[in-house]
Amino acid sequence: MAPGESVAAAAAAGPLDRLFAGGLHGRLLVLGRPPERVLLQLEGWERVACVATLGADIRPGTVRAGPHHLPFTEAMFDNALLSAPLVQPRLVLRELRRVLAPAGLAVVGVKARRLWEGKEAGWRREPLALRLDEAMFEVLDWQVEQLPERHHVVLLAKLDGVRPVLVGEAEPAFVAAPAT
């Protein structure tokens, strides 16, 4: 957060902005190909790994792997952006949880569907929220955006007993009282 910017303005930022705010010098995983409208801020990170799902077109510097078998050790990444289809959501979210560090943050972007659309169109909010809860993720922010189609864009925190502190926010319990 820039000096003088209010906490309210930081909270009003979207999930992607909040994921990338202050995240430099950390380790970032990009799983899947983000929609063209999403501008990734890849400069300044200590480590960036881009993983293309099997069958997807691959860019230079991208590793090809299945989203349910990532070729990384446990707790390797501080932040993650998941835009791969959730074909096997339990396996994909389990792998995402495995490679995220304690207090890790992730943004999941999946195609949204309306009640009248067929099952192939994407995810409704309730079933997706259930899958995220089962995978032990806490939802910090949830928006539906046009990317160019409707997508759920969800900011998640890994539930592991360590709570992430987003840039610009601090709970009063974390602020030390001045010594007298």
Side-chain angles (χ1 to χ4, degrees), residues 148-169:
E149 299 169 322
R150 291 187 55 191
H151 277 71
H152 293 288
V153 182
V154 188
L155 178 65
L156 305 170
K158 181 178 176 180
L159 285 176
D160 54 7
V162 181
R163 185 165 181 203
V165 175
L166 296 172
V167 173
E169 290 185 9

Side-chain angles (χ1 to χ4, degrees), residues 30 32-34 40 50 52 57-63:
V30 179
R33 186 174 199 125
L40 297 180
C50 295
D57 60 333
I58 192 163
R59 298 179 285 194
T62 302
V63 175

Side-chain angles (χ1 to χ4, degrees), residues 65-117:
H68 52 278
H69 292 295
L70 297 175
F72 305 109
T73 60
E74 290 77 15
M76 184 173 225
F77 298 100
D78 302 308
N79 294 357
L81 173 61
L82 171 73
S83 58
L86 290 178
V87 177
Q88 296 176 317
R90 287 186 176 115
L91 296 175
V92 173
L93 293 171
R94 182 198 69 200
E95 274 298 283
L96 179 62
R97 180 174 168 67
R98 182 183 69 80
V99 300
L100 271 177
L105 293 173
V107 167
V108 173
V110 296
K111 192 166 179 328
R113 81 173 159 102
R114 295 179 174 102
L115 287 172
W116 59 86
E117 295 178 317

